[in-house]
Amino acid sequence: MNDKTRTIGYWIATSLLGFAFATGGLADLSGSPQVLEGMAHLGYPAYFATILGVWKVLGAVALLAPRFPRLKEWAYAGIFFDLTGAAASHAAVGDGAGKVITPLFLVAIAAASWALRPESRRLASAPKPETEARTGEHALAT
């Protein structure tokens, strides 16, 4: 895959994911009757929507903002936990396949975004063991 195709794929996946999490987070923060009914249906207290809403919006901002690769790694992890937890929650209460598959589809989009991200949005690689032996420095010492 050439760099241009990779960049386009990254931005499509990341934009979709950022949009889904920003709008979902804002919906959760709205405290609308539909959100509260959904939380109750899944067995969660109403305040859980506020917690999820804040983290979803912050995750979307972290993904879309420039720099901060470590923060992006944490955002991707949080998105994975949120979406797999949503799928498991819907399965646990006996919701239809569509309610279980939808968050898993978003996991696939998140995985594409993570895999296609450019070097500027990745954590720096740890030095290889032979580099540590040559320099005498341990990777965690910096």
Side-chain angles (χ1 to χ4, degrees), residues 24-37:
L26 291 173
D28 288 346
L29 288 171
S30 76
S32 73
Q34 295 88 348
V35 168
L36 299 180
E37 288 169 16

Side-chain angles (χ1 to χ4, degrees), residues 8-22 63-64 109 113:
I8 290 169
Y10 167 75
W11 279 111
I12 288 171
T14 305
S15 297
L16 288 171
L17 192 62
F19 177 77
F21 268 74
L63 285 186
L64 296 171
I109 293 173
S113 171

Side-chain angles (χ1 to χ4, degrees), residues 22-32 35 49-55 57:
T23 57
L26 291 173
D28 288 346
L29 288 171
S30 76
S32 73
V35 168
T50 304
I51 295 168
L52 285 177
V54 168
W55 288 116
V57 170

